[in-house]
């Protein structure tokens, strides 16, 4: 893909932003894990309902195929701790990559750090307010509102995505909390349009310091892709696999990428195309994309060319170090075959 960027000037960039750009983003552009067929452009949209100390960061950077190709499904990319504000630039390459596969990808700049959003527990509200803003301002971006939404997130953002999965599937989740009280009927309606979520190096959902309502956190129908890496030392050992096992949804996928650290999404991000494919498969019903998760064909998640799935014994492999990849399907099958018992 190619990119065009609007609404960004040199005066907007701080020295810290430039350092992040040099250290992370330029390196990731050189190592992209593949891109889609569309040239993309990006603009920044002000959203007054977001949480940020500086008004400039009450906004969402939004990328989409250049005009002339129609409207596209809305995808929300949620950053991790310290990934908002001026450091959101570290996610720009991944954002543009996903958009190149035919999505309007919004990235809210608010909640610079977890501390600004209740230790990250209220990041889901930023997501809801962002979706709601696009609904209230349909001309802001070329969104096809006849199509469902999809969400992906990294670290704290992955936690927020998994929280949204439970909000959609289990109305009792957060219902007795102060955070839940802030979910207006309008915000719940916006979140109800989400059809698939991707948790890229997620926080542990079994930790009460991360998940404020573990007892009611129940993802029963939302398709979920959980991505981790053998070199992720930031999250607790096996936390990605444990999150995967806690999911009750019949459509769920786990992959442990060999050599990937916690920062993979802002470095080479070879998983980027599969974030887009998962959104296409379960958000848009794309049968070709679905096969990339439930087959061993060339280019599938199990047989990707841009990275290697972890082998038995590598870091963060599930089921006593034996599972680096598992795709569970609603029809009761699994990929690899014969591992259906691990899907329950």
């Amino acid at each position: 893909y190619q990119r065009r960027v609007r609404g960004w000037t040199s005066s907007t960039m701080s020295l810290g932003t430039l350092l992040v750009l040099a250290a992370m983003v330029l390196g990731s552009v050189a190592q992209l894990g593949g891109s889609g067929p569309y040239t993309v452009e990006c603009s920044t949209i002000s959203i007054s309902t977001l949480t940020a100390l500086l008004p400039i960061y009450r906004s969402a950077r939004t990328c989409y195929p250049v005009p002339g190709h129609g409207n596209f499904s809305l995808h929300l990319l949620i950053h991790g701790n310290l990934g908002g504000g001026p450091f959101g630039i570290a996610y720009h390459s991944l954002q543009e990559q996903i958009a190149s596969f035919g999505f309007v990808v919004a990235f809210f700049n608010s909640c610079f750090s977890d501390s600004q959003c209740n230790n990250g527990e209220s990041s889901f509200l930023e997501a809801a307010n962002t979706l709601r803003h696009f609904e209230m301002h349909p001309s802001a971006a070329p969104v096809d509102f006849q199509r469902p939404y999809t969400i992906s997130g990294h670290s704290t953002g992955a936690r927020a995505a998994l929280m949204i999965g439970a909000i959609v599937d289990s109305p009792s989740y957060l219902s007795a909390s102060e955070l839940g009280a802030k979910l207006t009927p309008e915000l719940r309606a916006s979140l109800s349009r989400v059809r698939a979520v991707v948790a890229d190096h997620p926080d542990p959902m079994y930790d009460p310091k991360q998940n404020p309502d573990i007892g009611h956190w129940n993802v029963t129908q939302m398709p979920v892709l959980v991505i981790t890496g053998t070199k992720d030392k930031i999250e607790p050992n096996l936390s990605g696999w444990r999150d995967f096992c806690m999911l009750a949804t019949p459509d769920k996928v786990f992959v442990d990428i060999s050599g990937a650290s916690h920062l993979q999404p802002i470095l080479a991000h070879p998983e980027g195309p599969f974030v887009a494919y998962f959104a296409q498969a379960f958000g848009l019903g794309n049968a070709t994309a679905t096969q990339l998760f439930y087959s061993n064909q060339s280019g599938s998640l199990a047989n990707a060319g841009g990275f290697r799935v972890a082998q038995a014994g590598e870091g963060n492999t599930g089921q006593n170090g034996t599972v680096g990849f598992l795709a569970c399907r609603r029809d009761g099958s699994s990929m690899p075959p014969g591992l259906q018992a691990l899907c329950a």
Side-chain angles (χ1 to χ4, degrees):
Y1 75 93
Q2 296 177 331
R3 58 178 174 174
R4 303 178 186 172
V5 181
R6 295 189 287 118
W8 192 266
T9 66
S10 58
S11 62
T12 313
M13 293 189 178
S14 66
L15 177 59
T17 303
L18 290 171
L19 289 174
V20 172
L21 176 63
M24 296 179 177
V25 178
L26 291 182
S28 68
V29 169
Q31 303 177 61
L32 282 174
S35 59
Y38 293 100
T39 296
V40 304
E41 66 179 34
C42 305
S43 60
T44 299
I45 298 171
S46 295
I47 303 178
S48 61
T49 52
L50 297 181
T51 303
L53 296 176
L54 298 177
I56 190 175
Y57 299 127
R58 295 174 203 147
S59 62
R61 183 180 191 260
T62 307
C63 300
Y64 37 81
V66 296
H69 296 286
N71 294 340
F72 298 87
S73 178
L74 180 59
H75 180 90
L76 187 62
L77 173 61
I78 309 177
H79 63 75
N81 184 28
L82 302 177
F87 299 108
I89 197 168
Y91 289 92
H92 286 187
S93 179
L94 174 60
Q95 180 187 15
E96 293 162 12
Q97 183 185 38
I98 297 170
S100 76
F101 285 88
F103 290 94
V104 174
V105 182
F107 175 93
F108 59 77
N109 293 305
S110 55
C111 281
F112 159 67
S113 67
D114 286 1
S115 62
Q116 291 185 354
C117 283
N118 300 281
N119 190 39
E121 292 178 3
S122 61
S123 288
F124 75 90
L125 287 170
E126 303 299 290
N129 276 296
T130 300
L131 296 177
R132 180 64 176 165
H133 181 87
F134 281 98
E135 293 169 352
M136 297 298 292
H137 302 85
S139 63
V143 176
D144 183 349
F145 289 101
Q146 300 303 310
R147 296 182 176 183
Y149 308 149
T150 50
I151 291 178
S152 62
H154 170 227
S155 194
T156 296
R159 181 186 3 150
L162 292 172
M163 290 175 70
I164 290 169
I167 290 169
V168 174
D169 286 352
S170 305
S172 61
Y173 180 61
L174 300 177
S175 62
S177 69
E178 293 182 8
L179 294 177
K182 296 180 180 180
L183 268 177
T184 65
E186 292 78 14
L187 293 181
R188 283 189 178 273
S190 296
L191 292 179
S192 72
R193 300 191 59 187
V194 176
R195 291 292 181 271
V197 301
V198 178
D200 203 346
H201 297 258
D203 292 339
M205 300 305 292
Y206 50 85
D207 181 359
K209 295 180 180 179
Q210 312 267 0
N211 184 354
D213 189 11
I214 296 174
H216 295 98
W217 184 73
N218 196 13
V219 182
T220 60
Q221 298 297 323
M222 182 75 71
V224 179
L225 168 60
V226 176
I227 303 170
T228 188
T230 61
K231 298 290 182 65
D232 190 336
K233 306 299 183 182
I234 300 297
E235 301 294 352
N237 187 44
L238 299 177
S239 62
W241 175 253
R242 290 184 63 180
D243 284 351
F244 172 82
C245 292
M246 291 174 69
L247 297 167
T249 176
D251 295 312
K252 60 180 183 178
V253 178
F254 169 83
V255 63
D256 183 15
I257 299 177
S258 183
S261 73
H262 189 72
L263 298 182
Q264 185 82 349
I266 59 175
L267 296 175
H269 52 81
E271 76 274 29
F274 289 96
V275 173
Y277 296 147
F278 198 79
Q280 290 174 348
F282 291 100
L284 304 179
N286 185 314
T288 300
T290 301
Q291 282 302 108
L292 296 177
F293 297 92
Y294 296 103
S295 76
N296 195 34
Q297 68 188 48
S298 177
S300 66
L301 185 56
N303 191 20
F307 58 86
R308 182 174 66 82
V309 172
Q311 302 299 301
E314 291 193 79
N316 290 314
T317 47
Q319 193 64 15
N320 299 316
T322 62
V323 177
F325 165 71
L326 175 60
C328 304
R329 200 168 189 178
R330 191 171 296 269
D331 63 8
S333 64
S334 70
M335 184 66 201
L339 297 181
Q340 294 91 328
L342 301 180
C343 295

